[in-house]
Amino acid sequence: MKYSVSDIIIKKRNGGKLSADEIGFFVEEYTKGEIPDYQAAALLMAIYFQHMDEEETFALTEAMKNSGDIVDLSNIKGIKVDKHSTGGVGDKITLIVAPIVAACGVPVAKMSGRGLGFTGGTIDKLESIEGFNTVLAPEDFHNQVNEIGIALIGQSGHIAPADKKLYALRDVTGTVPNLSLISSSIMSKKLAAGSDAILLDIKCGKGAFMETFDDAKALAETMCKIGESAGKRTVAVITDMSQPLGYAVGNSIEVEEAVDVLKGQKWPEDVVELSLYLAGIMIYLGGKANSAEEGRKMAEEVVKNGAAFEKFKEMVKRQGGNPTVIEGIQTEDGWTYPNMPASEFKNEIRAEKSGYICEINAGEIGNASQHTGAGRATKEDTIDHSAGISVVVNVGDYVEKGSLLATCYSNSEWKLEKASEEAAKAFSIGDEAPEVPKLIKATIGL
Ligand code: URA
């Protein structure tokens, strides 16, 4: 071997700086299976405590990006803008933003992930639409974007395989929440995915990897620098994840909420606001507007005139899904979707006392939703598309004793019971009106 792995571990353990060559060597040999997990785990823990500087972080990103395929999207016409969220609870924004920007002429060639732990994944959500196919051959993927302007598919196993292996190891060795490791992990995949520009939604709060604003800002700045140094225009928006985003947390119920917003429904307000804000930036980065503000106006227009919902339906149909299931039925209280997956059992959570909603812990709601069957504890778990939690209040609302806070859905009675107990603990009710967390906290790189 070119280097001694234990020398590299010791160097980092003692606070030394690793060279790009040492990092490249480690990533390449580990991916090939030449370095055992116990040595990789030791190095990750050394990095976790001693940190990496900017140069080391760039080198790690580059090495992981180059460990697999680099997607070539050059035969798709237009400026391709990718969007990435660092993972949230109730985050269905991609389902809304992607058809909006496609309806405004920005090509969307997006590869998304599946959910793990308390965070959901766009691909799982889309698969709750009957027949929707999330696996397309590269040629079909490119043709679809050129012909209808949008395709949403699952991530190929050949993108940044080094990150896949290292992330799985980080997951079981307590080494996920480190700025260099998170930023290089995400950016290695984004840089390999072939877009021209990247919009990052960095979540901040109890339902996110970064709980404080300062940590989220540091992550956003590092990721923007990595993107820009690789020649891609990169913008990051720091957004609140202390309470779930919108009402629905799950899969089919999140698709229903996204479809409601695409049809022009004005609530949940946080979902509508964040979708339009991010869409405005993407339309600007995609060269179809002169500013993010102009992009936002275009986004509002395609929702109003129905073009965004039509684009979503067109994508569903083209990817084998049944578009009639998302057409739904309009009632006095909004839309209902009788042909989307629905759970056999449900349980209501009601306020134990009157007062202000002071907290809805997003992490706890995410965990409870996972336990209804909507999420995975391990990558191999299967999910129940109809399960989840619908939260009907926001932080700052005043509630009377006994009023509805949330409804939990599951196809398993025992899972429902356990999840409902957990979800109930996520709500705190107090006598004083709390400060309502700001949804969009900062935008970096615009
Ligand atoms: N998502 C990733 O892809 N990697 C991380 O390290 C954290 C979140």
Side-chain angles (χ1 to χ4, degrees):
M1 283 215 189
K2 189 171 168 190
Y3 292 100
S4 146
V5 182
S6 52
D7 284 353
I8 293 179
I9 297 169
I10 291 165
K11 189 173 179 186
K12 187 39 82 185
R13 185 200 67 191
N14 293 344
K17 174 170 174 159
L18 301 179
S19 70
D21 208 40
E22 285 169 324
I23 292 169
F25 159 81
F26 165 75
V27 169
E28 197 180 327
E29 297 301 318
Y30 179 63
T31 311
K32 283 196 294 197
E34 300 294 331
I35 296 175
D37 278 351
Y38 54 82
Q39 283 190 306
L43 182 59
L44 290 170
M45 194 54 89
I47 294 169
Y48 178 86
F49 281 113
Q50 294 291 0
H51 308 284
M52 281 180 140
D53 71 8
E54 217 166 87
E55 268 181 89
E56 290 174 295
T57 308
F58 286 9
L60 180 59
T61 311
E62 192 62 16
M64 293 200 294
K65 176 192 99 180
N66 290 331
S67 68
D69 295 347
I70 308 290
V71 178
D72 181 3
L73 298 179
S74 58
N75 57 8
I76 297 176
K77 295 175 234 98
I79 303 173
K80 278 77 66 184
V81 188
D82 201 356
K83 168 194 171 280
H84 182 82
S85 153
T86 55
V89 176
D91 187 354
K92 68 280 294 173
I93 300 295
T94 295
L95 298 174
I96 303 167
V97 162
I100 289 178
V101 306
C104 292
V106 178
V108 177
K110 181 148 177 56
M111 282 175 262
S112 286
R114 293 190 182 278
L116 186 63
F118 66 68
T119 63
T122 299
I123 291 305
D124 294 323
K125 293 170 198 176
L126 283 168
E127 284 177 350
S128 59
I129 300 172
E130 185 193 325
F132 194 96
N133 174 22
T134 57
V135 182
L136 293 182
E139 202 188 327
D140 297 334
F141 180 53
H142 295 179
N143 287 343
Q144 181 175 324
V145 182
N146 275 332
E147 285 161 31
I148 69 165
I150 182 169
L152 291 180
I153 61 168
Q155 202 157 295
S156 117
H158 309 296
I159 289 188
D163 172 65
K164 199 171 181 191
K165 215 173 153 188
L166 282 167
Y167 193 27
L169 190 61
R170 285 167 57 212
D171 211 23
V172 292
T173 55
T175 51
V176 170
N178 169 276
L179 188 140
S180 294
L181 295 176
I182 296 178
S183 54
S184 58
S185 164
I186 295 173
M187 291 307 285
S188 62
K189 290 175 285 212
K190 292 290 115 185
L191 296 179
S195 66
D196 304 302
I198 301 166
L199 174 61
L200 301 164
D201 180 0
I202 311 282
K203 301 292 182 195
C204 163
K206 285 195 178 152
F209 287 117
M210 295 297 165
E211 291 205 359
T212 68
F213 176 74
D214 288 346
D215 285 347
K217 186 160 175 272
L219 182 68
E221 285 168 350
T222 304
M223 287 166 74
C224 284
K225 277 188 203 156
I226 295 173
E228 297 285 343
S229 77
K232 305 215 189 237
R233 186 75 208 280
T234 308
V235 173
V237 181
I238 300 172
T239 67
D240 183 58
M241 191 33 75
S242 59
Q243 60 179 326
L245 192 53
Y247 301 145
V249 181
N251 295 287
S252 66
I253 57 175
E254 287 199 39
V255 170
E256 292 172 20
E257 188 168 285
V259 167
D260 285 347
V261 171
L262 283 171
K263 286 175 179 168
Q265 182 179 283
K266 297 276 187 279
W267 71 92
E269 279 174 28
D270 54 351
V271 173
V272 174
E273 175 55 27
L274 187 55
S275 300
L276 293 173
Y277 187 77
L278 296 180
I281 297 175
M282 283 180 81
I283 295 164
Y284 165 61
L285 292 177
K288 298 290 174 190
N290 293 315
S291 64
E293 293 73 31
E294 189 184 313
R296 184 197 171 107
K297 289 202 180 87
M298 291 169 70
E300 283 170 3
E301 187 52 34
V302 292
V303 172
K304 206 164 144 197
N305 69 21
F309 180 54
E310 282 309 313
K311 190 53 75 184
F312 187 72
K313 271 205 304 193
E314 202 179 353
M315 173 185 74
V316 167
K317 203 166 161 198
R318 177 75 181 244
Q319 288 184 231
N322 178 357
T324 61
V325 303
I326 51 168
E327 265 158 17
I329 297 168
Q330 197 165 18
T331 70
E332 269 180 16
D333 302 326
W335 294 85
T336 60
Y337 301 91
N339 297 320
M340 284 291 283
S343 288
E344 196 178 341
F345 306 108
K346 68 176 183 177
N347 198 14
E348 291 178 343
I349 297 172
R350 292 190 173 268
E352 283 179 356
K353 60 177 188 172
S354 300
Y356 292 96
I357 304 285
C358 294
E359 189 187 21
I360 309 171
N361 186 308
E364 286 174 15
I365 292 287
N367 279 326
S369 170
Q370 181 196 323
H371 297 148
T372 60
R376 298 182 181 80
T378 71
K379 283 198 175 114
E380 289 70 38
D381 288 351
T382 52
I383 58 168
D384 175 353
H385 286 106
S386 66
I389 302 178
S390 173
V391 177
V392 297
V393 288
N394 290 307
V395 169
D397 289 353
Y398 185 83
V399 292
E400 298 288 351
K401 183 178 177 186
S403 57
L404 185 67
L405 303 180
T407 306
C408 301
Y409 302 96
S410 182
N411 282 313
S412 151
E413 267 179 301
W414 71 266
K415 281 187 184 173
L416 185 68
E417 197 177 321
K418 181 170 183 272
S420 305
E421 274 169 27
E422 287 171 342
K425 292 191 192 123
F427 295 88
S428 314
I429 298 176
D431 297 331
E432 306 269 316
E435 201 178 313
V436 176
K438 200 167 172 222
L439 176 64
I440 297 168
K441 296 176 187 296
T443 303
I444 289 160
L446 193 60

